[in-house]
């Protein structure tokens, strides 16, 4: 199950390549390594032992999911002018683009996204029986 969740995150995680009118400060502020504070997929909480094994590294216009057998960078784009702010993730290996929303507040980053090719969520929630994932990340201190 950890590999499945890590794969979903890797295929989906998300943000940073500035496109169109996205805010440069969001791109700059997202850089670094983040730990999963909370993860929910289809209404089910991610077990603590699984989320503790995964970190996300935002570097330039890519996100890399470390842990769970991933470590392949995905391309990210964000639009900070949308309400809520949007994120698109282009995973490696020609998989379908992943659409999501995000909220960045200091050292906390919340991302909600649909599985590959799914419809972009409109709210920050993952309901039972859906393929929507909600993650809350905290910046790792250096």
């Amino acid at each position: 199950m950890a590999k499945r969740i890590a794969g979903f995150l890797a295929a989906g995680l998300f943000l940073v390549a500035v496109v169109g009118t996205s805010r440069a400060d969001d791109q700059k502020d997202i850089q670094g390594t983040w730990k999963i504070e909370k993860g929910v997929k289809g209404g089910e909480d991610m077990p603590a032992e699984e989320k503790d094994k995964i970190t996300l590294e935002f570097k330039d216009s890519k996100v890399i999911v470390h842990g769970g057998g991933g470590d392949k960078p995905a391309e990210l784009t964000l639009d900070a002018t949308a309400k809520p702010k949007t994120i698109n993730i282009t995973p490696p290996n020609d998989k379908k683009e992943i659409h999501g929303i995000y909220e960045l507040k200091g050292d906390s980053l919340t991302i909600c996204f649909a599985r590959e090719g799914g419809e972009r969520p409109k709210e920050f929630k993952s309901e039972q029986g859906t393929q929507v994932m909600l993650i809350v990340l905290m910046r790792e201190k250096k």
Side-chain angles (χ1 to χ4, degrees):
M1 183 168 182
K3 282 190 175 188
R4 193 172 82 218
I5 291 171
F8 193 74
L9 285 171
L13 273 185
F14 11 75
L15 27 184
V16 204
V18 177
V19 169
T21 57
S22 63
R23 288 181 23 201
D25 57 335
D26 275 1
Q27 179 185 6
K28 184 182 89 175
D29 291 346
I30 196 90
Q31 301 295 303
T33 303
W34 299 74
K35 299 260 320 157
I36 299 175
E37 183 78 15
K38 177 181 178 180
V40 182
K41 180 181 177 188
E44 301 284 327
D45 286 335
M46 179 186 291
E49 62 274 6
E50 291 180 20
K51 70 180 181 179
D52 291 343
K53 296 176 186 176
I54 300 169
T55 60
L56 288 89
E57 178 185 3
F58 293 91
K59 187 173 182 179
D60 300 321
S61 63
K62 299 186 185 320
V63 62
I64 304 165
V65 178
H66 298 287
D71 291 6
K72 292 185 179 177
E75 293 289 330
L76 299 168
T77 59
L78 64 102
D79 181 353
T81 64
K83 301 290 183 207
K85 296 176 182 182
T86 63
I87 178 172
N88 293 329
I89 304 144
T90 306
N93 305 328
D94 298 322
K95 293 184 179 179
K96 292 181 181 178
E97 188 171 70
I98 296 163
H99 304 114
I101 56 177
Y102 76 96
E103 181 176 60
L104 178 62
K105 288 183 178 177
D107 288 336
S108 176
L109 173 63
T110 302
I111 302 171
C112 188
F113 58 93
R115 59 178 284 152
E116 294 174 11
E119 186 175 322
R120 185 184 315 277
K122 293 174 179 31
E123 300 177 272
F124 291 97
K125 64 182 178 179
S126 173
E127 294 184 344
Q128 187 79 28
T130 68
Q131 290 296 314
V132 173
M133 182 150 198
L134 171 71
I135 58 171
V136 177
L137 305 163
M138 296 302 291
R139 184 185 310 274
E140 276 192 349
K141 303 295 181 191
K142 292 184 179 183

